[in-house]
Amino acid sequence: MSNFKKNHFTPEGLLQWAYLFETDSGGRYSDDKYKVTFRLYGDDAQSLIKTIESFKPEASELENGNEITNVPDKQATDKDKNKIDGAYDFVMKTKNKPQIVDGKKKRVTQDNIPGYKNGMSIGKGVVAFKPHAYTVRGDSGISLYLQAVQITELNEGSVDLNMFEDRDDGFVAQ
């Protein structure tokens, strides 16, 4: 079966800049799509990059033999635009409302997520996506169509706590 006709699933990662219940619209860079920026670290990031790279031959064939130069991954950066070692962001979008479920596969609504706002970081999760080949202005690439999101852990705030290191000699709450 074609890789472009089946759903693929990510490892567990961070769900950031999420527009899962309403499209991103009305802003300067809005595109009227449901979307999420999905962050992975280390081996998990490399595994997804390898999966995306494996789509290139079929994508090239679908785009009349064009070389695939645009892929949906980029090195993650912090708020000061400094690269975060080993971290990669993957943007997944769709015009169709994605399915959102919790850790037990029960449907989630916006009201189930305390303080939810469009564009916020939600927490950890797994994303189902389908690859899509495209050519725009002569550049060919692969995009990832967002299909569904399983939220496995909610954030307590909007800060990526994975950037902190565990400290054996640090304060420990009793």
Side-chain angles (χ1 to χ4, degrees):
M1 175 184 237
S2 166
N3 275 323
F4 284 78
K5 296 190 188 265
K6 67 179 188 173
N7 286 322
H8 298 269
F9 296 84
T10 66
E12 185 179 60
L14 297 176
L15 304 167
Q16 301 181 314
W17 301 106
Y19 291 84
L20 300 177
F21 302 101
E22 296 176 23
T23 60
D24 178 10
S25 57
R28 182 175 180 192
Y29 299 106
S30 297
D31 56 8
D32 294 320
K33 293 182 180 175
Y34 298 94
K35 59 186 168 185
V36 65
T37 299
F38 185 70
R39 181 169 291 172
L40 287 172
Y41 295 87
D43 291 341
D44 287 338
Q46 293 306 314
S47 175
L48 187 53
I49 290 169
K50 187 176 177 181
T51 297
I52 293 167
E53 290 290 322
S54 77
F55 300 149
K56 281 186 171 182
E58 187 173 355
S60 177
E61 187 178 312
L62 289 169
E63 294 302 305
N64 300 316
N66 292 346
E67 180 182 359
I68 302 299
T69 56
N70 296 323
V71 290
D73 61 79
K74 67 178 183 171
Q75 177 105 37
T77 57
D78 63 19
K79 66 179 178 160
D80 297 322
K81 305 288 185 212
N82 297 315
K83 291 181 179 178
I84 301 171
D85 288 337
Y88 287 83
D89 289 339
F90 304 84
V91 176
M92 301 177 196
K93 302 179 181 187
T94 185
K95 288 189 176 205
N96 303 315
K97 191 168 189 168
Q99 295 180 56
I100 313 300
V101 297
D102 65 13
K104 300 285 186 184
K105 297 184 263 184
K106 180 182 167 201
R107 285 198 178 254
V108 172
T109 66
Q110 183 173 334
D111 295 335
N112 297 129
I113 301 173
Y116 178 84
K117 291 184 223 167
N118 284 326
M120 73 180 275
S121 177
I122 293 178
K124 290 184 181 180
V126 176
V127 179
F129 68 91
K130 281 187 181 176
H132 171 73
Y134 68 87
T135 299
V136 176
R137 291 185 212 100
D139 289 330
S140 296
I142 297 170
S143 60
L144 305 179
Y145 280 168
L146 177 63
Q147 300 291 304
V149 174
Q150 181 181 40
I151 301 170
T152 58
E153 183 179 315
L154 289 176
N155 268 355
E156 295 290 323
S158 62
V159 175
D160 176 3
L161 298 180
N162 287 316
M163 296 307 299
F164 287 123
E165 296 177 19
D166 287 336
R167 302 194 183 273
D168 293 330
D169 58 344
F171 169 76
V172 177
Q174 299 294 332

